[in-house]
């Protein structure tokens, strides 16, 4: 299927504008388009919308309009969690969360502030319950007419949203901390290996490059996780080869040192 950039640009500018700056730059329209296309193609289970302050209902209208125009191949679900809006591929997400529950597809890094350095940990019972709750919600909502599914405060108040979003976005590693005791972390001035996955979308007589994934792992743990990350990348490459819309998958890696790290 040949996908035109024009409909993604016009739809974004029609439904996603907000605040005083009414016009969304074409490059930003293309960035969110690549993310939505990647979710539709099964290259990532979800995207967290952070282009601007558009509300969940605006995002839902944007996605629904693209579906009605026939430029998406599946019906995508919209979930709002504590004001954060995620656009999901429900089939891929159910498969992904089921694997996480079987402890086959996730590295969990404990970054609680009292730790001398980050460490790998086994998912605790509260994290497993959080994943199970989210899997049940997605399963319950998938047959409904596309709309915004708002996750209740009684659920997400018990969840570590940092860990949850890492899982839902399909990262191979997710940060965890004991939020009952503190929301701080031990990553200040800790070397972090930042991994980014880039793709190109050949549109408008050019190639629009966009970052599909961006996640970090503490450098001190790299030797333990290197093989796991490589396997994750190979699985992504395998899925990437099954589609023809996005091109030139590439991986970048750099080590950074930051005074503060917000999770």
């Amino acid at each position: 299927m040949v996908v035109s950039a024009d409909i993604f640009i016009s739809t974004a500018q029609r439904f996603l504008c907000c605040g005083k700056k009414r016009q969304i730059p074409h490059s930003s329209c293309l960035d969110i388009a690549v993310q939505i296309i990647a979710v539709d193609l099964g290259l990532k289970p979800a995207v967290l919308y952070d282009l601007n302050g558009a509300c969940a209902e605006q995002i839902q209208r944007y996605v629904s309009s693209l579906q009605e125009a026939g430029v998406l191949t599946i019906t995508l679900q919209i979930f709002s969690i504590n004001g954060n809006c995620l656009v999901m591929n429900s089939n891929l997400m159910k498969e992904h969360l089921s694997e996480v529950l079987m402890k086959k597809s996730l590295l969990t890094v404990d970054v609680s502030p009292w730790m001398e350095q980050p460490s790998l940990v086994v998912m605790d019972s509260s994290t497993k319950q959080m994943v199970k709750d989210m899997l049940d919600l997605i399963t319950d909502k998938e047959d409904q007419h596309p709309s915004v599914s708002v996750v209740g405060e009684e659920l997400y108040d018990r969840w570590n949203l940092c860990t949850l979003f890492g899982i839902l976005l399909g990262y191979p590693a997710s940060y965890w901390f004991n939020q009952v005791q503190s929301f701080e972390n031990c990553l200040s001035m800790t070397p972090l290996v930042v991994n980014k996955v880039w793709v190109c979308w050949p549109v408008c007589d050019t190639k629009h490059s966009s970052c599909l994934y961006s996640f970090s792992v503490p450098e001190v743990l790299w030797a333990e996780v290197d093989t796991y990350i490589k396997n994750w990348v190979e699985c992504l490459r395998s899925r990437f080869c099954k589609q023809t819309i996005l091109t030139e998958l590439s991986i970048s890696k750099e080590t950074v040192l930051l005074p503060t790290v917000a999770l």
Side-chain angles (χ1 to χ4, degrees):
M1 180 181 65
V2 177
V3 180
S4 169
D6 294 340
I7 189 168
F8 284 92
I9 293 171
S10 62
T11 304
Q13 293 183 339
R14 178 182 178 188
F15 293 109
L16 299 178
C17 293
C18 62
K20 294 181 180 180
K21 190 175 182 180
R22 301 296 299 175
Q23 195 78 340
I24 300 175
H26 281 200
S27 61
S28 297
C29 294
L30 296 178
D31 278 334
I32 188 60
V34 169
Q35 299 297 321
I36 295 296
I37 290 170
V39 173
D40 180 64
L41 294 173
L43 297 178
K44 56 191 302 182
V47 57
L48 178 64
Y49 183 88
D50 59 0
L51 174 62
N52 58 8
C55 67
E57 286 71 23
Q58 287 177 276
I59 298 162
Q60 187 272 327
R61 289 195 292 271
Y62 165 75
V63 172
S64 292
S65 181
L66 294 176
Q67 290 169 335
E68 290 169 4
V71 295
L72 300 179
T73 62
I74 63 174
T75 299
L76 303 179
Q77 289 183 272
I78 314 291
F79 276 83
S80 177
I81 305 174
N82 194 25
N84 300 282
C85 187
L86 295 108
V87 182
M88 296 186 184
N89 179 324
S90 61
N91 287 332
L92 181 59
M93 184 65 78
K94 287 190 298 180
E95 177 185 328
H96 171 55
L97 295 184
S98 296
E99 289 180 355
V100 168
L101 288 174
M102 292 187 293
K103 296 187 290 187
K104 291 183 177 179
S105 63
L106 183 73
L107 298 171
T108 308
V109 181
D110 186 348
V111 293
S112 297
W114 52 85
M115 305 276 291
E116 290 187 9
Q117 64 182 31
S119 66
L120 293 176
V121 294
V122 176
M123 285 195 302
D124 66 353
S125 58
S126 62
T127 301
K128 289 181 181 178
Q129 186 60 51
M130 174 181 71
V131 175
K132 185 179 184 303
D133 289 341
M134 197 68 219
L135 179 58
D136 290 342
L137 282 172
I138 294 167
T139 302
D140 289 343
K141 300 291 185 181
E142 66 179 334
D143 293 329
Q144 297 183 13
H145 187 272
S147 62
V148 178
S149 299
V150 179
V151 177
E153 187 175 355
E154 71 281 358
L155 276 178
Y156 70 70
D157 255 5
R158 304 197 303 264
W159 295 350
N160 186 315
L161 294 183
C162 170
T163 306
L164 178 66
F165 289 152
I167 295 171
L168 295 180
L169 296 176
Y171 298 159
S174 193
Y175 288 121
W176 180 91
F177 49 84
N178 189 330
Q179 65 181 25
V180 174
Q181 299 185 34
S182 175
F183 280 84
E184 300 299 317
N185 62 69
C186 64
L187 296 178
S188 174
M189 303 309 292
T190 297
L192 300 175
V193 181
V194 178
N195 303 264
K196 293 186 177 182
V197 177
W198 297 87
V199 296
C200 286
W201 186 23
V203 291
C204 304
D205 298 322
T206 186
K207 291 180 181 179
H208 181 78
S209 179
S210 187
C211 182
L212 202 60
Y213 282 96
S214 179
F215 62 91
S216 66
V217 176
E219 188 178 52
V220 68
L221 301 175
W222 189 255
E224 295 181 67
V225 307
D226 184 32
T227 299
Y228 188 93
I229 300 294
K230 286 178 179 176
N231 290 337
W232 178 86
V233 169
E234 287 309 307
C235 288
L236 177 60
R237 288 189 189 279
S238 177
R239 295 199 301 272
F240 187 81
C241 290
K242 296 176 182 177
Q243 57 81 47
T244 56
I245 295 175
L246 303 177
T247 65
E248 299 182 31
L249 180 73
S250 63
I251 314 294
S252 66
K253 184 173 68 175
E254 67 172 332
T255 300
V256 302
L257 201 66
L258 303 172
T260 58
V261 178
L263 299 177

